[in-house]
Amino acid sequence: NKLPLKKIEINSTLNNYMTLTNITYHEKSETYIVSYSKQIDFIAKGEDNEKIQVGAIDDVPHAKAFKSGILLINPTTWNVIDEIEFQDDTMVNDVKTMLIQLDSRTKRKIEYVVVGLTNITSEDVPASGSFCLYDIITAVPEPGKPDTGYKFKQFFKEDVKSAVTKVCEISGRFVVSQSQKLMVRDAQEDNSVVPVAFLDIPLYVTDIKSFSNLLLVGDAMQGLQFVGFDAEPYRMITLGKSVTNIETMCLEFLVNNGDLHFVVSDRDDILHILKYAPDEPNSLSGQRLIHCSSFKMYSTNSCMIMAPKNDEFSGSAENMRQKQAYQALGAQTDGSIFKVIPLKEATYRKLYFIQ
């Protein structure tokens, strides 16, 4: 099946922003937030963020470093209506919009943009990072530009002593992966953020996804962990792990009528399907995730997202009244898009016979 395709030029992307790296949608303002990365001349700096003068020659070609930022884009005109540019040698690793709970008594939630940053200067200075929370507020449009009615407003920023690789929402709070830890943080009404729970990670997180109060964490070399989060008291519980050490690239949940599967891609361009099945004897009460199948993708998977699934094979009213099913959509570096859908046993056997 061919999907409709529309190409949109964001101003002069190659000249102004070079490479667009992440995209997310802000539902309240109906705008898109896009991060970008562009090359700049590398300047060696010390721990005090001052330029190292010893051995520096200005009139020769320099090595290249990176500079990143985020853009606020109005989809009615596809114009950039606001922009935040971060300091040199800073990379935007992840951008997501999240409904974050501010008051535990009233359960009031506000949609924020959470950005994970990493700052890399030179080989003698360890990498540092930070995470920022932005609100998108209404503003007076500029003269002659009626689409510029929204702006970024910073809610909170915290610097940490390690790279922030991924961010994710869970149960009205947000998770930040920093160094070899996952930190669950809770936002307060006084514009502060407090950590409430943590989990140790073997190496570093390459992808993290949530479904309700469940968390799926992918490690660069040690496979994935299936984690549950509890708010009373605050704690994170490891429910299961993959048996093999999958070098995780991307992952996503795949939920179908109470069955919980996971879709995981690795560095060898293989897509793995795993299942959480505590009732099966070889899963050791769910501590081991069951490996169901694998697919060779012939291209590197760059992102995955879970979306509601319609029943393509049976449109009866009875099936529509069943529990909501989901599908996993993925994109790859060669421009291709794929989706993984759960099937009933009878449908699977029919398709397998045709194959």
Side-chain angles (χ1 to χ4, degrees):
N1 297 331
K2 292 185 177 180
L3 298 176
L5 179 64
K6 181 180 180 181
K7 293 184 179 180
I8 301 166
E9 292 186 4
I10 306 301
N11 287 350
S12 180
T13 304
L14 294 178
N15 296 328
N16 294 338
Y17 309 119
M18 290 193 180
T19 303
L20 304 179
T21 54
N22 296 279
I23 183 171
T24 187
Y25 182 70
H26 191 268
E27 187 174 354
K28 182 180 178 181
S29 63
E30 298 181 346
T31 55
Y32 287 94
I33 298 92
V34 179
S35 66
Y36 68 89
S37 175
K38 60 183 179 181
Q39 286 188 344
I40 59 173
D41 289 337
F42 173 74
I43 298 176
K45 298 178 181 179
E47 294 184 0
D48 54 358
N49 207 27
E50 295 292 333
K51 180 180 177 180
I52 299 176
Q53 299 293 339
V54 178
I57 304 175
D58 294 332
D59 56 351
V60 297
H62 286 256
K64 296 298 181 182
F66 294 95
K67 187 181 185 69
S68 297
I70 54 175
L71 310 172
L72 183 62
I73 298 174
N74 192 324
T76 57
T77 58
W78 296 108
N79 290 330
V80 177
I81 61 177
D82 196 15
E83 176 183 356
I84 295 179
E85 189 174 64
F86 301 106
Q87 64 182 2
D88 294 351
D89 305 318
T90 299
M91 287 288 296
V92 176
N93 287 329
D94 201 9
V95 179
K96 285 188 175 69
T97 55
M98 307 178 189
L99 284 173
I100 296 179
Q101 178 179 299
L102 290 184
D103 191 343
S104 59
R105 181 176 55 86
T106 62
K107 306 295 183 181
R108 183 170 68 95
K109 293 184 178 181
I110 298 180
E111 188 176 12
Y112 285 111
V113 181
V114 183
V115 184
L117 303 171
T118 297
N119 183 262
I120 303 175
T121 53
S122 64
E123 60 183 7
D124 297 326
V125 179
S128 60
S130 61
F131 62 91
C132 310
L133 275 70
Y134 294 98
D135 192 7
I136 296 181
I137 61 174
T138 56
V140 178
E142 299 177 7
K145 297 180 179 179
D147 58 342
T148 58
Y150 295 98
K151 298 290 183 183
F152 286 117
K153 180 183 178 181
Q154 182 171 300
F155 172 77
F156 182 81
K157 179 180 180 181
E158 180 178 333
D159 296 326
V160 295
K161 295 182 179 180
S162 58
V164 176
T165 57
K166 287 293 176 180
V167 295
C168 183
E169 185 270 340
I170 183 169
S171 300
R173 300 160 183 86
F174 65 99
V175 184
V176 175
S177 67
Q178 54 186 84
S179 184
Q180 292 177 291
K181 287 185 181 297
L182 281 182
M183 301 290 292
V184 181
R185 286 179 163 86
D186 198 357
Q188 308 295 320
E189 288 191 332
D190 58 353
N191 291 9
S192 64
V193 172
V194 294
V196 294
F198 74 94
L199 179 72
D200 292 325
I201 300 298
L203 194 61
Y204 74 90
V205 175
T206 54
D207 200 5
I208 179 173
K209 295 293 174 61
S210 65
F211 184 81
S212 184
N213 63 337
L214 302 175
L215 209 61
L216 192 60
V217 184
D219 191 81
M221 297 184 68
Q222 300 293 325
L224 66 149
Q225 298 185 60
F226 180 44
V227 181
F229 172 72
D230 191 4
E232 295 180 0
Y234 290 116
R235 57 178 179 172
M236 300 183 75
I237 306 171
T238 302
L239 303 176
K241 295 182 179 180
S242 60
V243 179
T244 57
N245 293 332
I246 302 173
E247 297 182 1
T248 308
M249 292 290 291
C250 301
L251 47 79
E252 188 53 270
F253 285 89
L254 190 59
V255 182
N256 180 41
N257 294 334
D259 292 332
L260 192 57
H261 292 76
F262 314 116
V263 185
V264 187
S265 62
D266 64 11
R267 295 187 182 276
D268 296 326
D269 302 337
I270 298 177
L271 194 69
H272 304 272
I273 310 296
L274 295 94
K275 180 181 180 181
Y276 177 68
D279 295 334
E280 295 191 12
N282 57 345
S283 69
L284 299 181
S285 300
Q287 297 180 28
R288 294 182 177 180
L289 301 180
I290 304 300
H291 191 280
C292 299
S293 183
S294 297
F295 304 90
K296 181 64 177 178
M297 303 301 292
Y298 298 101
S299 182
T300 301
N301 180 217
S302 57
C303 64
M304 268 194 284
I305 187 173
M306 184 175 62
K309 168 188 170 293
N310 296 323
D311 198 336
E312 296 93 343
F313 299 96
S314 176
S316 64
E318 181 181 355
N319 289 333
M320 298 300 291
R321 289 193 296 266
Q322 291 180 351
K323 295 181 181 179
Q324 177 67 61
Y326 296 87
Q327 60 186 349
L329 300 174
Q332 306 196 116
T333 54
D334 63 354
S336 60
I337 298 175
F338 68 88
K339 71 175 180 178
V340 181
I341 59 174
L343 294 177
K344 297 179 181 178
E345 183 70 21
T347 306
Y348 166 76
R349 291 185 180 278
K350 291 178 182 178
L351 293 176
Y352 185 79
F353 179 75
I354 295 175
Q355 182 184 9

